[in-house]
Amino acid sequence: MENMHLDQHISKQFNTDLEKLRTAVLEMGGLVEGQLADAVKAIETGSMRLAEKVQETEDEVNQYEVNIDAQCTEVLARRQPAASDLRLVLIVSKAIRDLERVGDESSKIARMAIELSDEETDPDGFVELRHMSSNVQKMLNAALDAFARFDVPAALKVMREDKHVDREYKSAIREMVTMMMEDPRSISRVLNVIWSLRALERIGDHARNIAEHVIYLVRGTDVRHISIKEIEKQLDQDQ
Amino acid sequence: MENMHLDQHISKQFNTDLEKLRTAVLEMGGLVEGQLADAVKAIETGSMRLAEKVQETEDEVNQYEVNIDAQCTEVLARRQPAASDLRLVLIVSKAIRDLERVGDESSKIARMAIELSDEETDPDGFVELRHMSSNVQKMLNAALDAFARFDVPAALKVMREDKHVDREYKSAIREMVTMMMEDPRSISRVLNVIWSLRALERIGDHARNIAEHVIYLVRGTDVRHISIKEIEKQLDQDQ
């Protein structure tokens, strides 16, 4: 079974509860995807309006986290779910924490956009930023997709992609250090780029976490702290 | 009620389950406290042995996280806890994620210790590091104490302390930027100090999260994303 379905419960109300949880996570996911896209665009275009928009959305994202978590607790208390239903509730509670952190990191990028826009000089490091942000946005989108469809192969793909993003991050940081050494006047500006790269790398980690949650949900296997090769082997054996 | 007790269940076995969870969290907490202390000492003394010890402990910490999380799921499935019992299981599942992250951040500091030990020059920025690490270690210890005793006033104190650590972090970073500008040859070394300061600041955030979990557990109030003043007002009204 690669995918999982939610329509197997005797109680219709229970189905509705679980479906609501899933929808709420995807709504929250859409919101933070928007924050990330806006934050990246704010850096590229220097748009203050976009940067402020990202920060204004924080409250809404936080409210989503608190509300969904309360819903999870209520479903646990009232429905006492077991097996994959229980796992769904538990991973929802974990995934929203990851999404909230993605929102936080996007806000940090927006803050850097505001600081960078004061600078008159050329935007060193923007090539690296653009490249990495495009990959991280794709990763986050794929992780949410894997969650929406309870799709294990898609989740595994996200986990593999994270390794690639980590490598990209390290090489971008090296570039930035060279830039600072060659032109010490650029130090404070390049540091802002470094913080943004760092935030993107963290967002990649959260996307990977969401992917791990999906695998746990569908397969009942906790794959945190296990290498991707090892996971693939385990999943093969299960089939 | 400032504190909460676990000895009010009809089922003795259930008491044992919950007590086991609490003990496991505190054991894991002790382990990551040790990692943090060793990582900081590794930077100060340049001891490779300590830095490697921190990294070797990572596996054990990860295993704690996976095991405790599995225990939480089992308690939920078998005991179907309600009210504060349910909250206890849920915050255990959250707190261990924070603790695992503290371990990760400590490993990062240990990695910086290894890189910094190669340098021959004077350890610029160590005053700031030592100062901040001492405060963050106290915070983490206080957060675990608040958890051990389900102590709301102690948890609130940790939350207040985090604000202080955040200010300290910002001023330390400013110092580091000045240092790099004044002596560009120090850039890559100072960057390592910056990464360590950053890791310490994140550890402070995780200690704060644990404190927030304690308040939620005892009071049933979700205090994430609420100012400390607002929380104190809410708690006053409840009494």
Side-chain angles (χ1 to χ4, degrees), chain A residues 61-63 65-66 69-70 72-74 76-77 80-83 86-87 90 93-98 100-101 104-105 108 169 173 177 180-181 184-185 187-188 191 194-195 198 201-202 205-206 209 213 216 222 224-225, chain B residues 61-63 65-66 69-70 72-74 76-77 80-83 86-87 90 93-98 100-101 104-105 108 169 173 177 180-181 184-185 187-188 191 194-195 198 201-202 205-206 209 213 216 222 224-225:
Chain A
V61 171
N62 292 345
Q63 208 46 58
E65 185 191 13
V66 170
D69 223 4
C72 287
T73 311
E74 209 194 312
L76 288 173
Q80 303 167 341
L86 175 58
R87 291 203 300 275
L90 292 176
S93 162
K94 290 190 164 125
I96 55 175
R97 195 164 170 193
D98 285 303
E100 193 268 339
R101 298 290 318 153
D104 273 0
E105 300 291 346
K108 281 185 204 161
Y169 167 72
I173 294 291
V177 173
M180 287 197 281
M181 286 176 169
R185 288 163 308 166
I187 287 177
S188 80
L191 254 188
I194 286 185
W195 293 132
R198 173 79 175 172
E201 188 265 342
R202 291 295 299 144
D205 287 345
H206 290 292
N209 289 347
H213 300 326
Y216 171 68
D222 194 330
R224 289 172 299 188
H225 318 304
Chain B
V61 170
N62 293 345
Q63 207 47 56
E65 185 191 13
V66 170
D69 223 7
C72 286
T73 311
E74 209 193 314
L76 287 173
Q80 304 169 342
L86 175 57
R87 290 204 300 275
L90 292 176
S93 159
K94 289 189 166 130
I96 55 176
R97 196 164 168 193
D98 284 303
E100 191 268 338
R101 296 291 315 150
D104 273 0
E105 300 290 345
K108 279 184 205 164
Y169 167 71
I173 295 290
V177 173
M180 288 196 282
M181 284 175 168
R185 287 163 308 167
I187 288 177
S188 79
L191 254 189
I194 288 185
W195 292 133
R198 172 80 174 174
E201 188 264 341
R202 291 296 299 144
D205 287 346
H206 289 293
N209 289 347
H213 300 326
Y216 170 69
D222 193 328
R224 289 173 300 190
H225 318 306

Side-chain angles (χ1 to χ4, degrees), chain A residues 140-193:
Chain A
L140 177 61
N141 189 269
L144 287 166
D145 252 24
F147 176 84
R149 295 181 281 113
F150 301 145
D151 184 338
V152 169
L156 275 171
K157 213 174 145 212
V158 171
M159 292 180 70
R160 263 182 242 115
E161 187 60 25
D162 189 39
K163 288 223 174 298
H164 177 67
V165 165
D166 284 350
R167 270 196 303 272
E168 224 181 315
Y169 167 72
K170 274 183 195 142
S171 112
I173 294 291
R174 274 195 298 272
E175 284 289 317
M176 296 302 110
V177 173
T178 310
M179 247 177 224
M180 287 197 281
M181 286 176 169
E182 281 170 359
D183 176 12
R185 288 163 308 166
S186 74
I187 287 177
S188 80
R189 188 178 72 247
V190 173
L191 254 188
N192 281 330
V193 176

Side-chain angles (χ1 to χ4, degrees), chain A residues 7-126:
Chain A
D7 50 1
Q8 299 143 338
H9 298 102
I10 298 168
S11 152
K12 255 196 180 163
Q13 186 55 47
F14 191 13
N15 271 339
T16 315
D17 285 350
L18 294 180
E19 193 53 53
K20 255 191 197 162
L21 275 181
R22 186 168 79 148
T23 310
V25 172
L26 293 175
E27 276 173 22
M28 184 179 174
L31 208 57
V32 301
E33 276 192 299
Q35 278 187 301
L36 174 56
D38 286 343
V40 169
K41 219 178 280 167
I43 286 208
E44 284 179 8
T45 62
S47 157
M48 284 308 88
R49 201 187 50 77
L50 273 180
E52 283 159 12
K53 191 179 149 207
V54 175
Q55 298 185 316
E56 284 159 14
T57 314
E58 253 196 297
D59 277 348
E60 200 182 340
V61 171
N62 292 345
Q63 208 46 58
Y64 259 101
E65 185 191 13
V66 170
N67 290 346
I68 297 175
D69 223 4
Q71 278 178 53
C72 287
T73 311
E74 209 194 312
V75 171
L76 288 173
R78 283 178 43 209
R79 307 275 169 203
Q80 303 167 341
S84 69
D85 295 336
L86 175 58
R87 291 203 300 275
L88 174 63
V89 179
L90 292 176
I91 70 134
V92 162
S93 162
K94 290 190 164 125
I96 55 175
R97 195 164 170 193
D98 285 303
L99 289 175
E100 193 268 339
R101 298 290 318 153
V102 173
D104 273 0
E105 300 291 346
S106 301
S107 285
K108 281 185 204 161
I109 298 174
R111 210 151 51 230
M112 295 307 135
I114 293 175
E115 296 205 10
L116 285 166
S117 74
D118 290 343
E119 313 275 341
E120 283 170 24
T121 37
D122 240 20
D124 286 333
F126 275 26

Side-chain angles (χ1 to χ4, degrees), chain B residues 32-199:
Chain B
V32 301
E33 275 193 297
Q35 278 187 302
L36 175 55
D38 286 343
V40 168
K41 218 176 283 169
I43 285 207
E44 283 179 9
T45 62
S47 156
M48 284 307 86
R49 201 189 47 81
L50 274 180
E52 281 159 14
K53 191 181 149 208
V54 175
Q55 298 184 315
E56 283 159 15
T57 315
E58 252 196 297
D59 276 349
E60 200 182 340
V61 170
N62 293 345
Q63 207 47 56
Y64 259 102
E65 185 191 13
V66 170
N67 290 347
I68 297 176
D69 223 7
Q71 278 178 53
C72 286
T73 311
E74 209 193 314
V75 172
L76 287 173
R78 284 180 40 211
R79 306 275 170 202
Q80 304 169 342
S84 68
D85 296 338
L86 175 57
R87 290 204 300 275
L88 174 63
V89 179
L90 292 176
I91 71 137
V92 162
S93 159
K94 289 189 166 130
I96 55 176
R97 196 164 168 193
D98 284 303
L99 289 175
E100 191 268 338
R101 296 291 315 150
V102 172
D104 273 0
E105 300 290 345
S106 302
S107 286
K108 279 184 205 164
I109 297 174
R111 208 149 55 229
M112 295 307 136
I114 294 173
E115 296 207 10
L116 283 166
S117 74
D118 290 341
E119 312 275 342
E120 284 171 26
T121 38
D122 241 18
D124 286 335
F126 275 26
V127 181
E128 286 79 2
L129 258 184
R130 196 171 308 134
H131 197 75
M132 205 169 143
S133 69
S134 142
N135 284 338
V136 167
Q137 285 183 71
K138 275 184 218 147
M139 250 184 96
L140 178 61
N141 189 268
L144 287 166
D145 252 24
F147 177 83
R149 296 181 283 114
F150 300 146
D151 185 338
V152 169
L156 274 170
K157 214 174 142 212
V158 172
M159 292 179 71
R160 265 183 238 112
E161 188 59 27
D162 189 40
K163 288 222 174 299
H164 177 67
V165 165
D166 284 352
R167 271 196 304 271
E168 223 181 316
Y169 167 71
K170 274 184 194 142
S171 113
I173 295 290
R174 273 194 300 270
E175 283 292 315
M176 296 304 110
V177 173
T178 310
M179 245 175 224
M180 288 196 282
M181 284 175 168
E182 280 170 358
D183 177 12
R185 287 163 308 167
S186 74
I187 288 177
S188 79
R189 187 178 72 247
V190 174
L191 254 189
N192 282 331
V193 176
I194 288 185
W195 292 133
S196 304
L197 289 166
R198 172 80 174 174

